Amino acid sequence: MAALGHSPDFIPMTTIGDVFAAVAGKRTDLGIVPLENSLQGTVGQSLDHFQHYDVSIQAEITCRVSHALLSTADAIAAIDTVYSHPQPLAQCAAWLKAHLPQARIIPTDSTAAAAARLAGEPTAASIGHMRLAAMHNLHILASPIEDLPDNWTRFFIIGAEDTKQQTRDKTSILFTVPNRPGSLQKVLSHLAGEGINMTKLEIAAHPWREMAVRVFRGPPNATCRARNTSSF
């Protein structure tokens, strides 16, 4: 967490989009957004927001994720509704089926938003980090509740300005190509011809185009010098 400085002030946001907007609007210096989870894969919301906000990736961190069931109620037996972001809901699906099979499962924009909804709902619970209990005066009814213990999430630290660090060894590029045969293959062939080592490829299909995110080994200036993207 060195990229965040020695004593940062943390400001909770309701949605991933709110984090991007705060950073792009320079209301905060940095933001932390999830990119992918070891169990559920890519967090598509984060990739989508990179298209709409002018931010730069400062660093990446990987954290083990553990979930708890939180509520104003005193017992699991009182719960008939569970709120959370779709990712934690999926990561705890088997636990929910075993312990709360009749509960309504309602997705929210974030785990923070889910916890905030519990005020005035005595038969509702949320899934999120146990620290949310202290923030919202909630009881921890069960923890950990994730289905698999080896649950990790990779986060990006984003900022409004490009990082000044000289030790980075990854570059990410987001771009779109026409939704027609051979468009992506043309890009991949161009990169291979320039000797660029691609380590990850993500594709989000849209009705009229495809969005691709790629991660390369090498500092950003080296990749940018590696050539002219107009030929893509």
Side-chain angles (χ1 to χ4, degrees):
M1 302 291 283
L4 298 177
H6 297 293
S7 56
D9 293 323
F10 290 93
I11 304 173
M13 297 288 176
T14 302
T15 69
I16 294 173
D18 289 342
V19 177
F20 276 86
V23 172
K26 298 186 178 180
R27 299 194 302 275
T28 63
D29 297 314
L30 298 171
I32 305 175
V33 295
L35 183 68
E36 62 180 346
N37 176 261
S38 59
L39 304 181
Q40 296 299 318
T42 300
V43 181
Q45 293 177 59
S46 293
L47 294 186
D48 289 341
H49 287 309
F50 274 110
Q51 297 181 88
H52 304 298
Y53 293 98
D54 186 15
V55 299
S56 296
I57 299 169
Q58 307 290 311
E60 67 175 24
I61 53 176
T62 301
C63 301
R64 187 185 181 282
V65 177
S66 184
H67 297 301
L69 187 72
L70 312 174
S71 179
T72 58
D74 295 321
I76 293 177
I79 303 303
D80 61 16
T81 303
V82 178
Y83 299 110
S84 195
H85 185 272
Q87 286 268 339
L89 289 175
Q91 294 163 19
C92 303
W95 189 95
L96 289 170
K97 185 176 181 180
H99 295 86
L100 290 168
Q102 305 303 320
R104 292 185 303 145
I105 307 301
I106 301 180
T108 60
D109 289 327
S110 68
T111 56
R117 291 186 63 162
L118 298 183
E121 294 194 42
T123 63
S126 70
I127 294 176
H129 196 280
M130 63 177 59
R131 289 182 183 176
L132 288 168
M135 296 172 62
H136 295 277
N137 196 27
L138 303 172
H139 300 130
I140 300 174
L141 301 185
S143 179
I145 64 170
E146 61 270 18
D147 297 333
L148 297 174
D150 194 24
N151 185 13
W152 295 81
T153 296
R154 186 159 66 103
F155 296 86
F156 276 167
I157 298 174
I158 58 174
E161 308 293 338
D162 193 13
T163 180
K164 301 301 188 291
Q165 296 180 30
Q166 300 299 315
T167 57
R168 292 181 297 168
D169 61 355
K170 291 183 181 179
T171 298
S172 297
I173 296 178
L174 184 151
F175 64 91
T176 60
V177 295
N179 191 7
R180 60 172 180 260
S183 295
L184 183 57
Q185 188 274 334
K186 182 179 179 181
V187 177
L188 300 181
S189 295
H190 182 87
L191 295 171
E194 295 295 338
I196 298 174
N197 181 26
M198 184 180 69
T199 60
K200 186 176 180 60
L201 172 66
E202 293 282 353
I203 298 176
H206 294 268
W208 64 95
R209 58 172 167 66
E210 290 183 350
M211 178 183 75
V213 178
R214 294 197 308 257
V215 179
F216 307 101
R217 290 291 179 186
N221 56 351
T223 302
C224 291
R225 286 199 304 268
R227 308 287 168 237
N228 177 356
T229 56
S230 65
S231 63
F232 289 5

